[in-house]
Amino acid sequence: MTLIASFSHSFADSQRAFRLILKAISEPGVKVTLPQIPVWGNASPAATAILMTLVDRETPFWLDSSLGDEAMLANLQRFGARTAAKAEASVALLHAASDIAIAEFSPDSCSPATVIIEVPTLSGGLTLRLSGPNLRESRAVAPKLPKAVLHYLRERVHSFPQPIDLIFTCGDQMMALPHTTNVVVC
C-alpha cells in the first residue's frame, strides 16, 4: 500500500479548492470544477479534494463501506480523520448506489452535517427547484440523484432549513445544496 500525494502545490491548490467549495456552497446548484488531483481509492477527484480540504483531526467523519478501500482509509488516517457513527459525523462520503437513509446523518449539534454523495452525473436527473437566502431568484438543477436522496428531499420533516448540507460530486466537479436552500423535487 502506498499513500497518494495530495495537491501538487499544497498551499495554492488547497486554497483554490477551499474557495471553490465556498463558491458552490454560497451559490446553491452552481457546478464548480475542483483542482485535478490523484484520487483516494474509489472516490472521484472532486470528493478527494473536498475531503483533503474539509476533513482533519477535529472532524468526525463517516465513510460508506463501498468507498472504504485500503487507499482511502490510509489517506484519511494520514490526514488524522477520526471516524464516527452516522449521527455524530460532521462529514460523510457516500456512493450513489448506497441505500443509506440521508436523515441518519442529522447531527444533534447546532451545525449541520455535510454529506458528500458521489453521483453518476450532475445533469440529466429529476429537476430540483432551488430557492432561499443565497438565491436572488429560484434556480432549476437536475443532478442524477439516487432514490435515497430523492426520498429524503421529498419526505423530510423540516423542508427548510434542512439539517444537512448536501454536496454532489462527479469527476472533478461538485454542486452543493446547503442546509439553507429550499429544495422542491419537480
Side-chain angles (χ1 to χ4, degrees), residues 3 12 46 50 60 65-66 77 81 85 103 111 122 135 137 140 148 159 161 179 186:
L3 294 179
I50 294 167
S65 62
S66 67
Q77 185 176 24
S111 60
L122 294 174
L135 296 164
E137 51 190 47
S159 61
H179 70 282
C186 300

Side-chain angles (χ1 to χ4, degrees), residues 23-75:
K23 176 180 176 55
I25 291 171
S26 66
E27 297 179 37
V30 168
K31 294 178 200 174
V32 298
T33 303
L34 295 172
Q36 193 65 278
I37 57 170
V39 299
W40 289 356
N42 297 323
S44 68
T48 301
I50 294 167
L51 293 177
M52 284 194 292
T53 306
L54 299 182
V55 176
D56 61 15
R57 287 173 176 47
E58 304 300 319
T59 309
F61 179 74
W62 188 88
L63 179 64
D64 188 343
S65 62
S66 67
L67 295 167
D69 63 6
E70 189 176 329
M72 171 65 79
L73 296 173
N75 280 286

Side-chain angles (χ1 to χ4, degrees), residues 40-128:
W40 289 356
N42 297 323
S44 68
T48 301
I50 294 167
L51 293 177
M52 284 194 292
T53 306
L54 299 182
V55 176
D56 61 15
R57 287 173 176 47
E58 304 300 319
T59 309
F61 179 74
W62 188 88
L63 179 64
D64 188 343
S65 62
S66 67
L67 295 167
D69 63 6
E70 189 176 329
M72 171 65 79
L73 296 173
N75 280 286
L76 284 169
Q77 185 176 24
R78 183 182 83 172
F79 271 70
R82 133 179 108 81
T83 59
K86 290 178 209 156
E88 298 166 358
S90 295
V91 176
L93 176 62
L94 290 95
H95 190 276
S98 177
D99 61 353
I100 306 279
I102 302 301
E104 292 181 41
F105 295 99
S106 184
D108 294 332
S109 68
C110 296
S111 60
T114 299
V115 178
I116 306 160
I117 304 168
E118 294 269 43
V119 296
T121 180
L122 294 174
S123 60
L126 290 177
T127 301
L128 306 177

